[in-house]
Structure formats: C-alpha cells, structure tokens
C-alpha cells in the first residue's frame, strides 16, 4: 500500500512540474514548448520506445532461447558475453555511434535503442531457462514428451512458461532503460521528449530542461509499474510458491 | 494388448541395453518390469511409447506396429507416469490432469468433468484441489495427481515408471492398495517398472524379471517365488522368498472357520468335555450377535465358573483385507498364537493359525502353483 502512495506522490510531483513549466509560457526570451508540443513529444517518445522494445522482444527472446540449446552451445558464451559486455557500453556512446553510422533521425534512434534493449532480454531469457532446477525440468520435460507433446509444445507450454517470470523481469529492465535512452536519442534528432531536454541544455534554461525531463521520468515510472503489474498477473501462484521455496533453501 | 518381439536396443556408444526381448502383456493385465538398476527395464518400457527408439525388433499395440504411428499421437493414447511425477508447476491440478485431453482438444466442459471424475477416483476432493498448484500439495497428493493425470484421456494402456517411488513407505503402501482397487475397476493394460521385489509381488499379475538387458523369467508372482529359474532369480527374490510369498494372500483368502465357537452362556463343563473329545487346546468365544470376545483355553476351563471369567481378551485382531505377512507378524504378538479375523462391526469371520499358514506355504513349495482366487482386490 505504501508503495502505491509513494508512487502516486512521485507521479503527482513530476506531472505537476510538467504542467507548471508548460504554464510559464516563456522564460526571458525563450519560449516554453506549448502544451500540444509536450503532448506530441511524449507520444513520439513512446513510439520510439515501443517500436524498439517490440523489436527487441521478438529478436531477443529467440536469441536467448537458442543460446540455451545444446546445438548452439559453442556460440552461446559469445552471445551471452556480448550481451553482458554490451550493457556496460554507455548509452550515449551507443546513440552517438548509431547517429554517425545510420544518420540522424527516428530510424537510427530506434535501431540504437533496439540493440541496447535486446541485451537484458537475451540475458534474462538465457538465465531464466537455465535457472529452472535441472531435476524438476528433466522430470517435467519427460512427462510432457511422454504424454505426447511435440518439441514445440514442450518449449512453448512448459519451458518458456517456467522461465517467464525472469524473462518478464528482463523486459521490464529494458523498457525502463529504454525510456531514458530514448531521451538521449533526442541528440540525434529523433524527436520526443529528449528534444526538449537537448534544447534546454543548449540554451541553459533549467525550466526547459525540466519540461522535458519531468515527463520522461513519469513515463519510466508508469511503464515500470505497468509491466510489474503484468508480471504478477501472468506469473501463476504455483511458480511464485516455487520461487519462494527456492529462496528458502 | 502389448506385444514386444525380439526387441533390441544398442546405444550409440555400443552399450547393449536390451537384448532380444520378447514379451506379451495381455489386455487388462498389470505386468511388472523388475530388475536391478541398469537391467534395461525402463528402457524396455520407454520403447513402447517410443520415448526411446529401438534398434531393431517390433512392438505391437493391439496388433498395430507402433513404428507406423505418429509418435505424439501414439503417446497421447498411452498413459504415462514417472517416479519424479513431473507435474507442471505453473499449471493447476486441473490443468495438469487435463494435459492430454487439452492436447486432444476436448471441449472445456468435458475436460473439467474429467478432471473432477479423476480426482474423485484417486480419493481427492475436486472442490478443494482442482484450483491448487502442485507446490501446494503433499508428496502423496502429488503422486495421486500424477496417477490421475496419466488416466487423463482414459487411455487403454498405461506405462508407469516407479510411480510410487518417491514417497515414504507408509504412503506408498496406501497408494499401492488404492491403485490396485482402481485397477480392479478400470482394468487397464499396464507396464509397470520397479526395482522393488515386494512392490512387484504385491502389484503384479505377471512379473518380467530382467538381468543385463535380458528377460530372465516371466511368470506370475507365485511361480517366480516358488520356482525360480536360476541362481540370479533365487538371489533376486531373496532367501526369504517363502515369506515374501505371504504377500500374495490376504487374510480372507486363507482364514478358516474356528474349530469350536462357543457362546457366552454355554456351560463350561460341556465346553470342556467337547474340547477334550476333539482334542482342542482352545476355542473362540462370541456373544449372541457373533461378536468376537476372546479366547478360551482348555487349561483354564478346569477352574471355570463362567466362560466370560476365564476368557483371554484378544491382544490383536485383524481385518479380512490384511496381507498375510502383516497378519503373521500380528500373530507373534497374540498370546494364543492365533489371530481372529473380524469385520468392521467386530463380527467373527474366521481364524488364522500358524498351521494354516504352514500348510499354504508348504503347498506352494511342493509345486502347487495355483494362486488362491481373489487374493487381490
């Protein structure tokens, strides 16, 4: 309960700040972005994040899954190593490289974000599948095969379902990181809330920076809570109990 | 009916897991694959539903070559239960039980009805358990759900790999009894793997004893115990094989009428004369409704005023379903050395004595291998 109060309070402050800054109209000779501009920037921001995230999920989960297969064992250390090291590369560098190579604009931003967002998804998919107790997994898979599930059904209905909580945690992390990275992408002309921040920094007007930064932060909090909700919703009680039993050991 | 013909399994590393294995399991029969670990019993069983591909040979189910069927379709038609149960932890009990019906795309209402029916069959309350998850069940309950799940789509054939292996002995005994009771109703054709000779004797209609990939002896339990084919079988069934044979019987199969039943009101002197005439050392005292009260010994009758005074109350009595090995150990605790068999209203049904048991075991050993009818439930 306390969690929700703090969350609501924080959101209130951030949104209040946004509205306040927007209502200033202008600071000195600099005009604040009009309300409609803030709104469209937010929508654009979301577009970038969602596009990158959806692509990252569709590419990242299969890569993570394949790296757990015996046939791919030779390449999985490279893949997982890359995913781990890749995350240490600063986002700014990522965006910079993408902008330089792919040219400025929306597309470059989405691609940079996609690569960056994929990393935690790959890593968590891999870890999620590997983390299921081997004895349990062997028994469950044998039973599933013995009852006539195809390989595909065993993967989709059993193996991935058991790894789901950890995969979702990866998606949650990557989503939150993505919101922040998308702001930086404003520097390569992707549009979105980053543009307001970049402009603010260029002219050194705190109010302008805040006008972009506050809604960005609010977006991150909302998305995090949203996926958190999905996580608890799709994780069956049986797996939660299993998880807590593992923690107790 | 399951028929294995000259089945051979050689693993890629050259290990001959199963050598020239032929066997027929008749419809409605529970056949035990028995043997020490590594003897190929599990491999043989798993070749039936093609979880392990055979190297050569043929396996027929109701005359159909299993290699001609789609493996997944084949498996959906055969119930499968394993030692580690392998319940899906992310699915409810209901979803677990209806795994195969779900794969076969039964309508939802029929799946639900089937899950309820099966839970009742294995002695669990559907209202309480349908929505539970495996982690919320005890070990014994998980095994029951495992059994229910392998019966999911009502397959005519079951493959069971030590299905009661992972639980404590008391629960195991209970589940074995319950499963026999269920089997007597559903009459499935079952291949049942175990390394436990006692479980084999108790559960099996037939036992296939294997050693190093070969079928050594294939008989009913009594024959296996009484006429072991060779040294290996003799050792495997154990030096106490005659005692193990006791598990083949229940008290009601061999109990006899008491040699003399006396009523509470009978005259002690007359009873004494009767016992002297028939040379009986003891008789059994009942009341007017045939409720068993206790033992009367001839020696005590000397000083008797009434039968009730000299009656020796029974230290233990037993139910007709009791396995003979348990009944015999109770007899050692009984002062008289005999055991009264009573029903749940304490009516006297019969009596077990050491003489009766010795006769039974003696008969078995002298080559009479016919099992007493209805020794199983």
């Amino acid at each position: 309960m306390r969690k929700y109060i703090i969350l609501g309070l924080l959101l209130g402050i951030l949104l209040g700040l946004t509205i306040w800054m927007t209502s200033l109209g202008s600071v000195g000779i600099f005009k604040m972005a009009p309300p409609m501009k803030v709104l469209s920037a937010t929508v654009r921001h979301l577009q970038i994040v969602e596009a990158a995230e959806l692509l990252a999920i569709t590419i990242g989960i299969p890569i993570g899954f394949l790296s757990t297969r015996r046939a791919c064992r030779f390449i999985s250390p490279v893949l997982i190593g890359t995913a781990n090291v890749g995350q240490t590369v600063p986002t700014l560098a990522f965006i910079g490289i993408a902008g330089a190579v792919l040219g400025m604009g929306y597309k470059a931003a989405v691609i940079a974000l996609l690569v960056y967002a994929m990393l935690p998804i790959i890593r968590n998919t891999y870890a999620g599948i590997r983390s299921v107790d081997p004895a349990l997994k062997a028994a469950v898979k044998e039973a599933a095969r013995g009852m006539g599930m195809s390989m595909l059904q065993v993967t989709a209905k059993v193996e991935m379902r058991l790894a789901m909580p950890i995969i979702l945690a990866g998606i949650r992390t990557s989503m939150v990181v993505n919101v922040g990275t998308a702001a930086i992408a404003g520097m390569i002309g992707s549009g979105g809330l980053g543009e307001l921040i970049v402009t603010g920094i260029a002219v050194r007007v705190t109010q302008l920076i805040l006008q972009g930064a506050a809604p960005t932060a609010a977006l991150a909090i909302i998305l995090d809570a949203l996926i958190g909700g999905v996580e608890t919703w799709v994780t069956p009680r049986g797996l939660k109990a299993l998880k807590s039993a593992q923690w107790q050991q | 009916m399951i028929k294995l013909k000259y089945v051979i399994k050689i693993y890629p590393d050259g290990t001959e897991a199963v050598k020239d294995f032929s066997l027929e399991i008749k419809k409605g029969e529970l056949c035990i694959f028995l043997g020490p670990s590594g003897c190929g019993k599990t491999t043989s069983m798993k070749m039936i539903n093609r979880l392990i591909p055979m190297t050569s040979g043929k396996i027929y189910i109701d005359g159909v070559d299993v290699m001609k069927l789609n493996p997944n379709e084949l498996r959906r038609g055969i119930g499968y239960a394993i030692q580690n149960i392998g319940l899906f932890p992310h699915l409810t009990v209901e979803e677990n039980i209806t795994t195969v019906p779900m794969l076969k795309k039964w309508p939802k209402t029929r799946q639900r009805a089937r899950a309820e029916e099966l839970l009742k069959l294995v002695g669990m309350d559907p209202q309480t358990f349908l929505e539970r998850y495996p982690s919320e069940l005890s070990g014994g309950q998980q095994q029951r759900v495992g059994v229910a799940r392998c019966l999911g789509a009502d397959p005519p054939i079951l493959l069971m790999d030590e299905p009661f292996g992972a639980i404590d002995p008391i629960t195991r005994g209970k589940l074995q009894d319950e499963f026999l009771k269920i089997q007597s109703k559903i009459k499935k054709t079952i291949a049942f793997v175990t390394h436990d000779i006692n479980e084999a004797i108790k559960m099996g209609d037939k036992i296939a004893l294997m050693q190093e990939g070969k079928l050594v002896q294939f008989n009913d339990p009594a024959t296996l115990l009484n006429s072991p084919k060779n040294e290996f079988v003799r050792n495997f069934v154990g030096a106490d094989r005659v005692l193990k044979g006791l598990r083949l019987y229940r008290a009601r199969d061999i109990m006899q009428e008491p040699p003399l039943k006396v009523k509470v009101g009978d005259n002690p002197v007359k009873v004494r004369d009767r016992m002297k005439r028939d040379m009986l050392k003891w008789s059994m005292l009942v009341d007017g409704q045939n409720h068993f009260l206790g033992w009367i010994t001839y020696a005590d009758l000397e000083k008797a005023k009434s039968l009730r005074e000299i009656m020796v109350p029974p230290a233990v009595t037993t139910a007709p379903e009791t396995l003979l090995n348990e009944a015999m150990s109770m007899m050692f605790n009984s002062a008289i050395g005999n055991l009264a068999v009573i029903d749940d209203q304490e009516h006297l049904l019969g009596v077990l004595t050491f003489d009766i048991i010795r006769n039974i075991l003696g008969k078995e050993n002298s080559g009479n291998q016919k099992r007493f009818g209805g020794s199983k439930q």
Side-chain angles (χ1 to χ4, degrees):
Chain A
M1 197 58 226
R2 204 194 299 167
K3 200 176 92 184
Y4 294 114
I5 295 173
I6 294 172
L7 211 68
L9 220 61
L10 206 56
L11 272 177
I13 292 172
L14 290 169
L15 292 175
L17 209 56
T18 313
I19 292 166
W20 181 25
M21 290 302 130
T22 311
S23 70
L24 287 177
S26 61
V27 177
I29 56 160
F30 300 107
K31 275 207 156 121
M32 300 299 290
M36 279 319 288
K37 174 91 203 314
V38 176
L39 210 66
S40 67
T42 309
V43 171
R44 185 63 187 265
H45 203 98
L46 265 174
Q47 272 173 356
I48 301 173
V49 170
E50 294 313 321
E53 191 63 36
L54 284 179
L55 284 169
I57 291 171
T58 34
I59 304 173
I61 291 181
I63 292 182
F65 172 75
L66 285 175
S67 16
T68 61
R69 297 299 94 175
R70 198 169 300 171
C72 300
R73 199 166 276 170
F74 65 100
I75 199 168
S76 66
V78 181
L79 274 172
I80 302 306
T82 312
N84 281 327
V85 175
Q87 278 192 291
T88 63
V89 177
T91 43
L92 196 56
F94 239 98
I95 300 286
I97 295 168
V101 175
L102 302 162
M104 301 288 167
Y106 175 77
K107 222 159 79 184
V110 170
I111 291 174
L113 254 64
L114 142 73
V115 174
Y116 205 70
M118 225 162 60
L119 304 178
I121 295 180
I122 294 178
R123 206 189 42 186
N124 274 42
T125 306
Y126 179 80
I129 290 174
R130 299 272 302 217
S131 71
V132 180
D133 172 23
L136 172 81
K137 191 148 115 181
V140 165
K141 276 171 89 170
E142 192 197 333
R145 291 292 285 156
M147 284 186 292
M149 281 196 196
S150 66
M151 281 294 192
L152 204 69
Q153 284 169 324
V154 175
T155 303
K157 287 182 197 279
V158 181
E159 223 175 345
M160 291 304 270
R161 292 292 287 130
L162 292 177
M164 201 50 109
I166 295 179
I167 297 177
L168 272 172
I171 294 176
R172 190 174 175 181
T173 312
S174 92
M175 190 80 125
V176 172
V177 171
N178 236 343
V179 174
T181 317
I184 299 173
M187 290 182 18
I188 57 168
S190 65
L193 292 166
E195 208 173 80
L196 302 183
I197 302 175
V198 172
T199 316
I201 292 172
V203 298
R204 305 197 176 180
V205 175
T206 316
Q207 288 89 337
L208 254 178
I209 301 177
L210 273 177
Q211 200 187 12
T216 309
L219 216 55
I221 291 173
I222 292 171
L223 285 177
D224 180 63
L226 219 64
I227 305 184
V230 172
E231 222 177 305
T232 20
W233 183 52
V234 301
T235 306
R237 212 164 70 232
L239 282 189
K240 279 173 205 152
L242 202 69
K243 235 162 135 189
S244 61
Q246 274 169 359
W247 285 334
Q248 279 159 16
Q249 280 169 6
Chain B
M1 184 198 64
I2 307 171
K3 202 170 182 179
L4 292 88
K5 267 182 128 177
Y6 315 116
V7 172
I8 293 175
K9 175 66 194 176
I10 302 171
Y11 281 106
D13 66 358
T15 322
E16 289 182 69
V18 177
K19 302 168 189 165
D20 215 8
F21 187 80
S22 294
L23 172 129
E24 194 180 314
I25 307 173
K26 296 206 178 69
K27 201 170 153 57
E29 215 171 53
L30 197 161
C31 174
I32 306 270
F33 288 23
L34 178 69
S37 50
C39 72
K41 54 189 190 297
T42 302
T43 308
S44 302
M45 185 202 78
K46 286 186 180 173
M47 283 190 289
I48 296 175
N49 69 354
R50 293 179 60 188
L51 273 183
I52 294 178
M54 59 187 141
T55 309
S56 71
K58 292 271 184 208
I59 295 176
Y60 299 95
I61 290 176
D62 290 328
V64 180
D65 185 349
V66 295
M67 296 309 287
K68 297 228 165 78
L69 300 168
N70 169 300
N72 291 329
E73 293 296 331
L74 169 74
R75 288 174 201 145
R76 283 171 203 175
I78 300 176
Y80 190 64
I82 54 177
Q83 177 180 7
N84 301 319
I85 320 172
L87 292 181
F88 303 128
H90 59 292
L91 299 180
T92 61
V93 166
E94 176 182 357
E95 290 162 328
N96 266 287
I97 293 177
T98 56
T99 302
V100 179
M102 181 270 296
L103 291 171
K104 289 186 154 182
K105 303 197 168 64
W106 286 16
K108 275 266 172 289
T109 45
R110 187 168 164 213
Q111 290 189 25
R112 174 106 199 175
R114 182 65 181 156
E116 284 180 7
E117 183 188 345
L118 283 172
L119 266 189
K120 275 185 212 145
L121 185 70
V122 296
M124 288 169 79
D125 173 37
Q127 248 52 53
T128 318
F129 290 103
L130 274 177
E131 303 300 327
R132 294 241 182 127
Y133 283 90
S135 53
E136 297 163 339
L137 304 177
S138 71
Q141 288 166 343
Q142 290 185 18
Q143 295 276 10
R144 281 163 205 253
V145 175
V147 169
R149 184 174 68 172
C150 87
L151 293 168
D154 205 12
I157 292 172
L158 307 180
L159 304 182
M160 310 184 93
D161 188 0
E162 309 210 15
F164 308 125
I167 30 174
D168 64 277
I170 295 171
T171 316
R172 187 186 311 151
K174 224 169 107 193
L175 285 185
Q176 288 168 343
D177 285 337
E178 284 173 20
F179 186 72
L180 282 175
K181 220 177 271 176
I182 293 173
Q183 165 66 358
S184 71
K185 271 184 251 161
I186 60 180
K187 299 256 189 295
K188 302 287 180 190
T189 308
I190 305 175
F192 187 113
V193 169
T194 182
H195 62 265
D196 179 357
I197 174 83
N198 292 321
E199 185 170 58
I201 293 166
K202 183 171 170 187
M203 306 288 289
D205 295 315
K206 286 275 183 61
I207 298 177
L209 183 55
M210 296 181 68
Q211 178 193 20
E212 291 170 8
K214 275 194 194 130
L215 180 62
V216 180
Q217 187 165 359
F218 183 47
N219 279 121
D220 61 285
T223 312
L224 189 82
L225 287 173
N226 298 319
S227 339
K229 217 172 191 174
N230 60 23
E231 201 53 36
F232 169 75
V233 182
R234 194 164 306 142
N235 286 335
F236 194 85
V237 298
D240 60 339
R241 61 195 173 85
V242 174
L243 288 181
K244 284 200 176 103
L246 292 172
R247 279 169 206 271
L248 293 171
Y249 305 99
R250 293 182 188 268
R252 63 160 181 265
D253 300 331
I254 67 157
M255 67 186 184
Q256 291 183 355
E257 281 288 307
L260 180 61
K261 206 154 77 173
V262 292
K263 292 220 173 76
V264 177
D266 288 353
N267 183 345
V269 181
K270 275 192 181 150
V271 171
R272 185 161 175 259
D273 291 345
R274 175 92 192 274
M275 286 173 77
K276 190 170 183 180
R277 194 186 75 209
D278 294 348
M279 296 201 297
L280 296 173
K281 288 202 177 68
W282 51 269
S283 59
M284 300 176 83
L285 183 66
V286 295
D287 67 9
Q289 279 85 48
N290 195 29
H291 291 129
F292 179 56
L293 300 174
W295 308 92
I296 306 291
T297 62
Y298 182 73
D300 287 342
L301 276 169
E302 297 278 351
K303 53 200 176 202
K305 297 179 197 92
S306 78
L307 291 179
R308 209 185 253 283
E309 255 173 65
I310 57 154
M311 163 196 91
V312 182
V316 283
T317 54
T318 197
E321 296 82 34
T322 312
L323 287 176
L324 207 50
N325 63 325
E326 288 161 28
M328 194 154 108
S329 92
M330 288 178 195
M331 286 162 71
F332 284 106
N333 281 334
S334 157
I336 309 289
N338 303 324
L339 191 62
V341 183
I342 60 173
D343 67 11
D344 41 13
Q345 276 103 47
E346 299 196 359
H347 294 120
L348 180 61
L349 299 176
V351 66
L352 288 177
T353 68
F354 282 115
D355 279 344
I356 297 174
I357 292 176
R358 191 160 54 219
N359 277 338
I360 290 295
L361 296 181
K363 234 187 258 167
E364 287 288 352
N365 274 330
S366 64
N368 180 355
Q369 281 134 14
K370 190 176 161 289
R371 265 171 84 179
F372 277 63
S375 67
K376 288 210 179 125
Q377 296 185 337

